[in-house]
Amino acid sequence: MSHWGQMLKHEVRELIPVIVFFFVTFQLLALTEALMLKQYGISVSAFLTATVMALVVGKVVLIADHFPLVNRFPTKPLSYNVLWKTAIYFAALVAFRYAEHFFHFWRQTRNAAEANRRMIDKIVWPHFWCVQLWLLVLLLVYCMFRELVRALGRERIIKMFFKEPAQPEHKE
């Protein structure tokens, strides 16, 4: 296989678990939003948006993982990298979600200050933060699993979860 073929195969292999995780995550968030809005008689269909967001965020996470800033604590206990990466990804995704809403209002006004003012007035902030809390918890779970895979190895994790039952410890 050519060098480019190997690179593409490696990239796809790295990308699939990330995209699957974020696909499920964003579909859960979209369902949460739809159910919350339904009580006000607002019907939304966000499947496509959630799917595209999963693809974009999955790729962004993989790109971000190559920067030294993201893998700041490789020799410390896993909790350091888990919390650090969760904070970085969460901040980026809150900014992304804010920008997503801002862009909607900017298209209407073509004025950044007015768009921001309208957004602040019209967004249901408890709803916005509820979704962000969901995202924070799901990102924490994602980062924990990613760090476990990094520490124990992909093959060992697959073996532990899908191939062999756990062996009980023998006390002597």
Side-chain angles (χ1 to χ4, degrees):
M1 192 180 282
S2 72
H3 172 70
W4 290 105
Q6 289 286 9
M7 280 181 35
L8 183 62
K9 183 179 175 183
H10 175 75
E11 184 76 12
V12 168
R13 189 172 182 195
E14 292 294 314
L15 197 56
I16 288 174
V18 179
I19 288 177
V20 167
F21 177 84
F22 283 108
F23 175 79
V24 170
T25 299
F26 290 143
Q27 294 304 330
L28 283 171
L29 289 172
L31 177 62
T32 300
E33 284 185 296
L35 292 173
M36 289 170 60
L37 292 172
K38 189 169 184 84
Q39 75 180 358
Y40 300 108
I42 301 170
S43 180
V44 296
S45 176
F47 178 82
L48 185 59
T49 302
T51 302
V52 170
M53 249 177 86
L55 293 169
V56 170
V57 171
K59 187 60 181 167
V60 168
V61 165
L62 284 181
I63 290 170
D65 281 344
H66 288 55
F67 291 111
L69 174 70
V70 173
N71 293 311
R72 191 164 183 136
F73 307 106
T75 60
K76 299 256 186 190
L78 293 181
S79 60
Y80 284 71
N81 256 348
V82 167
L83 294 175
W84 177 251
K85 287 179 179 183
T86 300
I88 288 172
Y89 298 152
F90 181 68
L93 288 173
V94 166
F96 179 80
R97 299 241 333 142
Y98 186 87
E100 178 184 27
H101 289 295
F102 174 81
F103 182 71
H104 169 74
F105 289 104
W106 178 83
R107 281 190 346 214
Q108 294 172 355
T109 64
R110 298 287 193 229
N111 178 306
E114 179 61 25
N116 197 52
R117 195 171 12 267
R118 280 192 190 178
M119 182 181 65
I120 288 171
D121 290 342
K122 298 211 183 221
I123 295 284
V124 180
W125 290 104
H127 170 223
F128 178 85
W129 287 111
C130 175
V131 172
Q132 300 321 303
L133 288 174
W134 248 111
L135 186 57
L136 178 63
V137 170
L138 293 167
L139 282 170
L140 182 64
V141 170
Y142 169 77
C143 289
M144 283 191 292
F145 275 109
R146 281 288 300 265
E147 289 302 304
L148 278 174
V149 169
R150 184 183 65 79
L152 299 175
R154 180 185 212 125
E155 288 75 28
R156 187 169 176 196
I157 294 292
I158 290 171
K159 184 177 171 184
M160 289 169 59
F161 276 88
F162 300 109
K163 293 186 179 175
E164 293 182 10
Q167 300 298 321
E169 289 188 30
H170 298 286
K171 295 185 180 182
E172 295 177 28

